[in-house]
Amino acid sequence: MTPAIANVVFSVRDYALNSADHSHVVSISVFVAVICLCIVIGHLLEENRWVNESITAIVIGCISGTIILLMSKGTSSHILRFDENLFFIYLLPPIIFNAGFQVKKKQFFRNFGTIMLFGVFGVFISSAIISAGSWWLFPKMGFVGLGVLDYLAIGTIFSSTDTVCTLQVLHQDQTPLLYSLVFGEGVVNDATSVVLFNAIQKIDVSKLNGWAAAHIIGDFLYLFFTSTALGIAVGLVTAYAIKELYFGRHSTDREIALMSLMAYLSYLLAELLHLSGILTVFFCGIVMSHYAWHNVSEDSRITSRHIFATMSYIAETFIFLYVGMDALDIEKWKMSKTSLWTVVGIDSTIIFLVLLGRAAFVFPLSALSNYLHKTERPPITLKHQIVIWWAGLMRGAVSVALAFNQFTYSGVTWDPVHATMITNTIVVVLFSTLVFGFLTKPLISFLLPRNVLDRRPTADLNSPKEDFTLPLLSMEESTTTNILRAKDSLSMLIERPVYTIHTYWRKFDDNYMRPFFGGEGPRR
């Protein structure tokens, strides 16, 4: 190769690289500018009765995507492509970590049993209904070509809820029980959907039999508990390191940086070990807020809460914008060969199955929860049940990410059937967020007026049954006394299991955990 030709080749290569870098910078600049626009418009519409920030971000995303396509004459749809890796690795962790870090632990763990009923068993029930319904109804509409794993995956894809719209309307101080249930179910639901989705991917279709369900449940339980244990372990290690090293005497920045990076590391470790990063980083956030947050300086406490909340807010806005823009990716729409009426039928069927799947577990499990906790807390009223049912009707970015994981390869699909499922998923997400989200504020205002507070009756708050004074078994007392204490404790455990377990955990926490890992002083 002559020097002249070599110079030409290198010049062309450098020009191509510079063009690619310039295009990348342009796309990032557009996103940042539109996020700023969303923040401003969301602030101006904060008191609006019908619109919330999620709807605002999606609408602005669709408008921005349309403008970009028109300006590029339909040639720049690639910058609008949804990337599930970007979502799972960079955008989801700060949202879930902040949810765990900011959660009111007392309410969350007081209603932990009900939250797990909705967030775990509810997902299994909803997934089964959506999978079976789509398996039965899709071929009747002439939509064929999906396999067994595809139908099972569809159940988990559309069982993942997005409760952001509802949580933006509910008030944690006015409706603590309802807010705790909606918030807790939303986080656990997303984690369960992802874990169940990953468990389904391991199924061998050629050996699909009665043991397949047992394998799914076994894989799910393994992923659930190991992911939780990893998050707790990382949170405790971080708390102990901050307590012993006392970074705050030199720099509060180091404390916040260590907490942030350790939380992100817990998520990455879970993904590397093929566990659930959502569960891991959520419980890591809970443990850090319970121990590590009390070990840092006062400046770090204030700053950390605002930093984590800000990162979560930006990530949520970015996701809704991303989904809105990706709806304008013309390549997926061109790839789908399904007729318009078939697409409408598929979308209508999915939405109907989502409505049915939510109702199939919210109302029965609420009745079961009321029966099991009838002496411990106020019942979940019918109005509360309707709000919980409605809160889970909206689908979000997790559904889109799981759909891309199932039906595309690196965001691209050449199968018309799979392309149809991608476009249908986007349509369902947009429809549920815009329509159901649009009606959320009026519905909650009608069912739960501002002057109706979700307070526990005074008699229940002052009930002597809640003020447990029985200590743990003591080696300093006689065997007879300990036996009597154990008998009384067992009676309380049978009568009020949640409160009894919580009481003994508080004693163990005050006596053993806090002195070692740090935290606020013992609660008396």
Side-chain angles (χ1 to χ4, degrees):
M1 182 182 295
T2 64
I5 296 178
N7 289 333
V8 172
V9 171
F10 287 126
S11 298
V12 172
R13 185 193 64 181
D14 293 339
Y15 175 79
L17 291 175
N18 291 333
S19 299
D21 292 339
H22 178 73
S23 176
H24 189 62
V25 172
V26 168
S27 63
I28 294 177
S29 300
V30 170
F31 269 111
V32 172
V34 177
I35 288 176
C36 294
L37 181 64
C38 281
I39 294 174
V40 173
I41 295 179
H43 170 72
L44 296 175
L45 298 177
E46 186 174 4
E47 300 300 326
N48 188 277
R49 176 180 173 85
W50 302 92
V51 181
N52 55 54
E53 291 183 345
S54 304
I55 295 176
T56 302
I58 284 185
V59 171
I60 293 177
C62 292
I63 296 174
S64 301
T66 303
I67 294 174
I68 293 172
L69 284 175
L70 292 176
M71 292 178 62
S72 63
K73 298 180 179 180
T75 61
S76 299
S77 61
H78 286 290
I79 68 172
L80 310 178
R81 179 178 297 154
F82 189 91
D83 186 352
E84 69 272 19
N85 292 324
L86 172 67
F87 171 74
F88 279 114
I89 300 300
Y90 300 109
L91 297 179
L92 190 59
I95 298 174
I96 302 300
F97 173 74
N98 183 66
F101 194 81
Q102 305 284 359
V103 67
K104 288 192 174 183
K105 296 179 289 296
K106 184 176 181 180
Q107 281 291 334
F108 180 82
F109 286 103
R110 175 174 290 174
N111 302 306
F112 188 73
T114 304
I115 290 172
M116 296 303 289
L117 276 177
F118 289 156
V120 177
F121 290 99
V123 169
F124 276 87
I125 295 172
S126 177
S127 295
I129 290 175
I130 295 174
S131 295
S134 58
W135 197 340
W136 179 48
L137 294 174
F138 282 3
K140 294 182 180 297
M141 292 180 288
F143 183 63
V144 295
L146 295 175
V148 176
L149 288 183
D150 292 329
Y151 284 113
L152 293 177
I154 288 173
T156 60
I157 289 169
F158 293 106
S159 292
S160 175
T161 64
D162 187 355
T163 58
V164 173
C165 290
T166 307
L167 291 176
Q168 288 175 351
V169 180
L170 292 177
H171 298 274
Q172 191 166 201
D173 296 327
Q174 292 184 355
T175 56
L177 172 61
L178 181 59
Y179 188 96
S180 174
L181 294 179
V182 173
F183 170 83
E185 192 223 340
V187 177
V188 177
N189 173 284
D190 284 345
T192 303
S193 298
V194 175
V195 172
L196 184 58
F197 179 86
N198 293 333
I200 287 175
Q201 302 305 308
K202 300 178 182 179
I203 296 178
D204 186 357
V205 180
S206 62
K207 299 179 180 179
L208 195 62
N209 50 38
W211 287 103
H215 284 301
I216 293 177
I217 296 175
D219 288 339
F220 171 82
L221 293 176
Y222 167 76
L223 292 173
F224 193 93
F225 288 110
T226 51
S227 301
T228 301
L230 178 60
I232 293 173
V234 174
L236 292 176
V237 169
T238 306
Y240 181 78
I242 294 177
K243 175 176 178 290
E244 293 299 317
L245 298 178
Y246 188 40
F247 290 93
R249 64 188 173 192
H250 297 300
S251 171
T252 60
D253 298 337
R254 292 178 182 146
E255 294 177 321
I256 300 174
L258 183 64
M259 292 175 65
S260 304
L261 293 175
M262 288 296 290
Y264 190 52
L265 180 62
S266 72
Y267 184 89
L268 295 178
L269 285 175
E271 294 299 318
L272 287 174
L273 297 174
H274 303 288
L275 303 177
S276 172
I278 296 179
L279 273 175
T280 298
V281 77
F282 176 70
F283 280 97
C284 182
I286 291 179
V287 172
M288 282 192 183
S289 69
H290 191 63
Y291 297 110
W293 188 77
H294 298 284
N295 297 336
V296 302
S297 63
E298 186 64 28
D299 290 340
S300 296
R301 295 182 187 180
I302 298 173
T303 306
S304 62
R305 285 197 176 275
H306 288 293
I307 286 179
F308 297 149
T310 301
M311 293 171 59
S312 174
Y313 174 76
I314 293 175
E316 286 182 1
T317 306
F318 192 99
I319 287 172
F320 284 112
L321 279 173
Y322 217 52
V323 172
M325 286 187 173
D326 188 69
L328 277 299
D329 189 350
I330 58 176
E331 290 185 1
K332 292 191 297 290
W333 296 96
K334 289 180 178 179
M335 180 59 60
S336 177
K337 306 298 183 182
T338 310
S339 65
L340 176 61
W341 291 111
T342 303
V343 170
V344 172
I346 294 172
D347 293 333
S348 302
T349 300
I350 292 174
I351 293 173
F352 169 75
L353 293 174
V354 167
L355 294 168
L356 181 63
R358 286 290 297 178
F361 76 83
V362 168
F363 298 105
L365 293 184
S366 296
L368 176 62
S369 177
N370 287 338
Y371 175 78
L372 295 176
H373 303 92
K374 57 185 176 182
T375 61
E376 299 170 8
R377 57 160 174 74
I380 306 173
T381 65
L382 179 60
K383 291 183 177 180
H384 286 179
Q385 294 175 33
I386 294 175
V387 173
I388 294 171
W389 171 73
W390 185 269
L393 295 180
M394 283 148 279
R395 297 296 174 263
V398 174
S399 295
V400 177
L402 293 179
F404 270 73
N405 193 307
Q406 179 68 25
F407 298 111
T408 71
Y409 180 77
S410 298
V412 180
T413 178
W414 302 106
D415 188 337
V417 175
H418 290 177
T420 300
M421 286 308 307
I422 294 295
T423 55
N424 286 334
T425 302
I426 294 174
V427 170
V428 170
V429 169
L430 292 177
F431 178 87
S432 62
T433 303
L434 294 177
V435 176
F436 296 149
F438 189 74
L439 299 174
T440 296
K441 281 187 178 181
L443 176 67
I444 294 180
S445 298
F446 173 76
L447 293 175
L448 304 172
R450 288 290 183 93
N451 59 338
V452 179
L453 302 182
D454 184 19
R455 294 186 180 131
R456 298 177 62 192
T458 305
D460 187 51
L461 285 171
N462 299 327
S463 174
K465 291 184 178 181
E466 186 175 345
D467 184 20
F468 295 116
T469 57
L470 288 177
L472 297 172
L473 298 183
S474 174
M475 299 299 295
E476 299 176 357
E477 297 180 345
S478 65
T479 303
T480 303
T481 302
N482 278 328
I483 292 175
L484 292 175
R485 289 187 183 278
K487 181 179 179 181
D488 292 336
S489 298
L490 181 61
S491 299
M492 287 195 308
L493 179 63
I494 295 175
E495 181 181 358
R496 307 184 78 191
V498 174
Y499 282 80
T500 307
I501 294 173
H502 181 63
T503 299
Y504 281 112
W505 160 249
R506 286 196 308 176
K507 293 180 181 296
F508 178 78
D509 190 30
D510 291 338
N511 294 330
Y512 300 101
M513 298 295 288
R514 291 180 184 273
F516 190 77
F517 295 104
E520 60 182 354
R523 294 158 295 186
R524 301 298 183 189

